[in-house]
Amino acid sequence: MTAFRVVIPARYASTRLPGKPLADIGGKPMVVRVVEAALKSGACEVWVATDDQRVADAVVAHGHRVAMTRADHASGTDRIAEVAEAFGWLDDDIVVNVQGDEPLLDPALVAGVAQALAADPQAAIATAAHAIADAGEFMNSNTVKVVTDVAGRALYFSRAPIPWPRDAFASDRATLPGGLGARRHIGLYAYRVSFLRRYGQLAPAPLERFESLEQLRAMWHGFHIRVIDCVYAPAPGVDTAEDLERVRAAFAALH
């Protein structure tokens, strides 16, 4: 198995849930629960990247690694790029970006995207998707869809329903036709460090602005994204106070 690292960007500020990384999940801060899940993936190192001393102190208090970063990053990808540069990681090294608000993270999925990237030397990024069976989800613009080529590399990501089954939907839009292969994108990414070094120099793409999908910038500039399939939708992350209560209950049920 190819070695890989995990970096977890964690900002204290959150519009809908201030102090989110430190929210208690079963007696530990949420960001610590995310680190514990990421460590089960087989990563050789797991780092929390933050610009907030409170988050750093909580992570260190539980015996985990922290990288302090600048406060002015536009995205978690930029924050991870700073960490990779600061530690001098090599161009071919693989880093998985794990969101700091997903304490129910599946470690196997983290390992899966890392190994998929390692196995595809032409790809700069790897990510994941799962099948869509419900027409309502397929039509929902909050559900990001992805279509791939025969090699499993992304052709396009969109909030629009793709691929569009023209003939089937001419008579019935309430049911997805068999074999359509509609897939929902899961926002988990593995990167080669060489791509992270280039990322900050890439101009935003028109498609990225219209779709509000950051990954389209990489594709616009010619980088390949490998997509793996998972059987089940991942557990939800935490964006709101209601999400937090649901995750707490789910975590308690599992432990």
Side-chain angles (χ1 to χ4, degrees):
M1 186 172 78
T2 301
F4 65 94
R5 298 178 176 90
V6 168
V7 178
I8 304 167
R11 295 175 60 251
Y12 184 87
S14 170
T15 304
R16 289 183 286 183
L17 193 60
K20 183 166 64 171
L22 302 185
D24 182 85
I25 304 285
K28 294 181 181 179
M30 178 161 56
V31 67
V32 172
R33 292 298 187 189
V34 177
V35 172
E36 291 173 345
L39 285 167
K40 294 176 183 177
S41 70
C44 63
E45 296 177 6
V46 176
W47 293 84
V48 173
T50 186
D51 58 4
D52 192 282
Q53 194 61 49
R54 291 164 291 187
V55 175
D57 290 345
V59 173
V60 171
H62 286 85
H64 302 302
R65 293 167 163 162
V66 171
M68 297 300 295
T69 59
R70 303 198 318 267
D72 60 348
H73 287 303
S75 71
T77 308
D78 294 297
R79 198 175 299 277
I80 292 171
E82 181 187 348
V83 174
E85 194 63 31
F87 290 133
W89 293 341
L90 302 177
D91 280 353
D92 286 337
D93 287 353
I94 292 174
V95 182
V96 180
N97 177 357
V98 168
Q99 300 302 310
D101 58 4
E102 296 186 0
L104 300 176
L105 175 76
D106 179 3
L109 188 55
V110 175
V113 295
Q115 297 311 315
L117 182 56
D120 188 343
Q122 294 184 4
I125 305 168
T127 188
H130 72 87
I132 297 174
D134 178 71
E137 183 180 10
F138 185 60
M139 296 292 190
N140 188 341
S141 63
N142 291 320
T143 299
V144 177
K145 276 71 69 173
V146 59
V147 291
T148 58
D149 65 13
V150 69
R153 299 192 189 107
L155 291 169
Y156 194 58
F157 295 85
S158 182
R159 298 183 183 281
I162 56 172
W164 181 260
R166 186 195 66 172
D167 294 342
F169 273 6
S171 58
D172 177 13
R173 294 191 182 185
T175 306
L176 297 183
L180 179 64
R183 287 183 288 170
R184 170 180 171 252
H185 176 232
I186 298 166
L188 176 70
Y189 295 98
Y191 301 105
R192 294 192 195 280
V193 169
S194 57
F195 170 79
L196 291 172
R197 291 200 166 99
R198 290 281 308 279
Y199 178 76
Q201 303 164 17
L202 300 178
L207 292 173
E208 169 194 2
R209 291 196 293 265
F210 283 117
E211 293 265 18
S212 191
L213 295 175
E214 183 182 321
Q215 63 269 37
L216 291 175
R217 183 184 310 183
M219 294 184 67
W220 178 266
H221 290 281
F223 293 95
H224 295 298
I225 301 178
R226 177 74 168 85
V227 183
I228 65 167
D229 288 310
C230 60
V231 177
Y232 302 107
V238 176
D239 289 320
T240 66
E242 291 76 19
D243 292 339
L244 179 59
E245 291 309 314
R246 283 194 293 270
V247 168
R248 282 171 171 162
F251 190 90
L254 290 170
H255 299 81

